[in-house]
Amino acid sequence: SDWSSDVWSEVTGEAENPNLISADKYQELVDAHVMFKDMAADPYLASAGIASDWPCGRGCYQSADGGFIIWFGEEDQLRIMCMAKGFVLNTVFDRLHTALQAVEAIDGIAFATSSKYGYVTSCPSNLGTGMRASVHV
């Protein structure tokens, strides 16, 4: 038994933690670009301290349709992705906007911001708005 199962059992009284996935399932999700890769294996992230305590405090949510993903505890701490096939970009943006409003409305959540630089992230290319948009053809 691993330590995370022991802690779950001690706290909840249940034998198995339903939030854990197998190594095979994790790799399947990484290969499908749904789950982020092992940050502890990246020497740059490890040297910056971003991979501290890997994998504790990390997670992923994927919507039933697969078009909406949230990564918790990744490089930017919270990465929200919204995707759809087709040419109607505002549909994707509207879904993303709704999700961002819901996240920002959660009590106790505060994002690191600077009056000079905007949102502060661990990825310099996302500094400012904290938003990156891409289109795949």
Side-chain angles (χ1 to χ4, degrees), residues 28-83:
E28 176 187 320
L29 293 171
V30 169
D31 292 344
H33 305 286
V34 171
M35 176 67 85
F36 46 91
K37 62 185 176 208
D38 180 352
M39 295 189 305
D42 184 315
Y44 298 107
L45 297 179
S47 68
I50 296 170
S52 298
D53 303 315
W54 177 266
C56 297
R58 273 80 174 180
C60 173
Y61 164 82
Q62 182 180 31
S63 64
D65 67 2
F68 185 77
I69 300 170
I70 300 177
W71 288 352
F72 305 90
E74 200 258 347
E75 286 179 58
D76 295 320
Q77 294 305 309
L78 180 70
R79 184 173 290 192
I80 301 174
M81 297 168 278
C82 191
M83 302 160 281

Side-chain angles (χ1 to χ4, degrees), residues 4 26 30 48 50 57 67 108-109 117-118:
S4 60
Y26 169 76
V30 169
I50 296 170
I109 289 188
Y117 299 111

